[in-house]
Amino acid sequence: MNSNIAIVCSGGDASGMNPALKRFVEYSYAKGLNPYFVRNGYEGLIDNLITPATYQDVSGIITRGGTKIGSARSLRFKEASYRTIAADNLRSHGIDKLIVLGGDGSFRGMERFYHETGIAFCGIPSTIDNDINGTDYCLGVDTALGVIRNAIDQIRDTASSFRRAFVIETMGRNCGYLALISAITSGAEMCLIPELPIDIHEFSGCYRSQIQKGRDYFIAIVSEALNSREVSEWFENELGFESRVSVLGHIQRGGSPSVYDRLMAYKFVTYAIDALLEGNSHSVICYNKSHFNFKTIDEVALHPHQLDPELLTLAREQFLPSHCQM
Ligand code: F6P
């Protein structure tokens, strides 16, 4: 008899989840598995929102951001009594394997669930923040970076026409990855991220000199963990330069998945299903230096994420006030 496998999205949605769902259904059938969807994250495990998945369900979704099956942050799943209900629901459908698209908190919860129930899982790192320890890449970050690039390029059009400093706030929770990559690739003057403490007052002399020589706009990228309004006030009060804050917000979570996110979704799901079939019962599939590998939950969730040291070195050279070009 075919065995049954389910997929669930947990936490903040990310572009690339729909391509992952499509591959999940197609590859499951190819491997003789019966695929199921769990709707609305771990909430759906508890509420038994578990249904067989068909080819029709995933037809045409590869181009769409978000996730067709919904996602959620579940507080109830943290309670053992609800996890028991979730396990009973899965067993009632004959499901003993799960693919989880989510972040380290979701994997940690699933690890506990595995030890309590024996239901195997493989986690696929999925978050635009790209802040999961142990993997260089998380599903969705490439699309988010594309959305941010487009937004900054367009803001530059108006900034350059109107002699203003634009302070553009990106998402990322406590991680500066989105802000840093965006600042480098959009040619921003300033980049403020939690990982690189900077006293902006040290820019005063350099920026004044640049203004005297003709600079007529600034682009400053600020990670959401820092205070973009204060930065904008600094431009106005310290430099007398008109300034606006633009908080990009949740547009960063949407958009048609990039080619890279689609391809990575395809590979992640393929290798995750292979691993479950080979008996790898509780791991996270990671991507490091162009190679896929499987890590334990402790390897990805025990330590906080740290920005790639090479990136940080580049960031120092580019964005520290001491490197500001007069
Ligand atoms: O983790 C993804 C993320 O978009 C973060 O960048 C952001 O801080 C957070 O989720 C926003 O959460 P919510 O959608 O609940 O407002």
Side-chain angles (χ1 to χ4, degrees):
M1 212 179 92
N2 284 0
S3 91
N4 298 347
I5 184 170
I7 191 165
V8 59
C9 301
S10 176
D13 51 277
S15 267
M17 285 182 165
N18 276 331
L21 297 179
K22 179 176 164 62
R23 178 61 181 162
F24 167 75
V25 171
E26 292 172 353
Y27 196 57
S28 294
Y29 280 125
K31 292 302 231 180
L33 298 164
N34 299 315
Y36 283 73
F37 287 149
V38 180
R39 289 173 204 274
N40 298 348
Y42 294 174
E43 291 287 288
L45 286 175
I46 297 164
D47 296 333
N48 202 10
L49 305 177
I50 303 168
T51 49
T54 66
Y55 288 119
Q56 284 76 15
D57 288 327
V58 293
S59 158
I61 68 170
I62 201 165
T63 63
R64 285 165 40 194
T67 162
K68 181 169 179 175
I69 62 173
S71 188
R73 298 189 179 104
S74 174
L75 287 177
R76 288 191 296 167
F77 198 72
K78 293 184 176 171
E79 292 179 34
S81 57
Y82 285 110
R83 290 199 298 276
T84 304
I85 295 172
D88 289 344
N89 287 336
L90 284 168
R91 287 193 194 106
S92 73
H93 294 278
I95 296 165
D96 60 0
K97 295 178 196 62
L98 270 174
I99 300 278
V100 179
L101 304 177
D104 47 7
S106 304
F107 301 152
R108 174 66 72 200
M110 199 39 73
E111 170 84 351
R112 193 168 300 140
F113 189 64
Y114 163 75
H115 287 296
E116 290 165 354
T117 66
I119 295 171
F121 78 97
C122 183
I124 296 181
S126 310
T127 165
I128 65 163
D129 301 340
N130 208 35
D131 64 347
I132 299 179
N133 185 44
T135 185
D136 297 345
Y137 159 87
C138 300
L139 192 60
V141 64
D142 190 60
T143 306
L145 285 170
V147 170
I148 298 169
R149 178 205 57 207
N150 290 345
I152 298 175
D153 287 356
Q154 292 184 25
I155 288 173
R156 182 183 288 278
D157 292 343
T158 173
S160 61
S161 311
F162 224 86
R163 203 168 187 280
R164 279 174 171 164
F166 266 87
V167 179
I168 302 169
E169 184 180 304
T170 59
M171 277 189 168
R173 216 177 279 273
N174 298 315
C175 172
Y177 184 85
L178 286 177
L180 177 55
I181 299 298
S182 301
I184 291 172
T185 56
S186 65
E189 281 68 51
M190 184 187 275
C191 174
L192 300 176
I193 57 174
E195 294 88 345
L196 194 62
I198 284 177
D199 177 2
I200 54 172
H201 296 94
E202 291 178 22
F203 282 111
S204 299
C206 181
Y207 282 8
R208 275 210 186 85
S209 150
Q210 289 186 359
I211 293 165
Q212 262 176 11
K213 286 179 183 159
R215 172 179 288 289
D216 54 6
Y217 70 96
F218 290 89
I219 300 286
I221 311 297
V222 179
S223 167
E224 70 171 330
L226 304 173
N227 191 334
S228 47
R229 205 145 292 282
E230 264 178 30
V231 179
S232 175
E233 283 164 11
W234 178 81
F235 274 105
E236 299 225 333
N237 300 335
E238 177 77 17
L239 298 181
F241 212 90
E242 192 180 10
S243 176
R244 291 287 186 274
V245 174
S246 189
V247 179
L248 298 186
H250 285 78
I251 63 163
Q252 296 161 94
R253 285 247 290 269
S256 180
S258 67
V259 168
Y260 189 69
D261 279 332
R262 293 181 198 194
L263 181 64
M264 290 300 281
Y266 187 94
K267 292 184 177 178
F268 267 150
V269 168
T270 304
Y271 301 144
I273 290 178
D274 284 345
L276 284 169
L277 289 175
E278 284 159 15
N280 194 342
S281 54
H282 55 125
S283 63
V284 176
I285 180 166
C286 293
Y287 188 70
N288 302 97
K289 302 197 187 317
S290 308
H291 292 289
F292 292 89
N293 54 88
F294 292 85
K295 295 196 174 163
T296 65
I297 303 306
D298 281 350
E299 282 173 292
V300 298
L302 201 58
H303 302 291
H305 172 264
Q306 302 214 311
L307 266 189
D308 174 7
E310 184 200 341
L311 259 183
L312 262 183
T313 305
L314 293 174
R316 278 196 195 91
E317 285 161 14
Q318 176 85 22
F319 295 114
L320 282 184
S322 50
H323 293 272
C324 183
Q325 301 289 324
M326 301 246 189

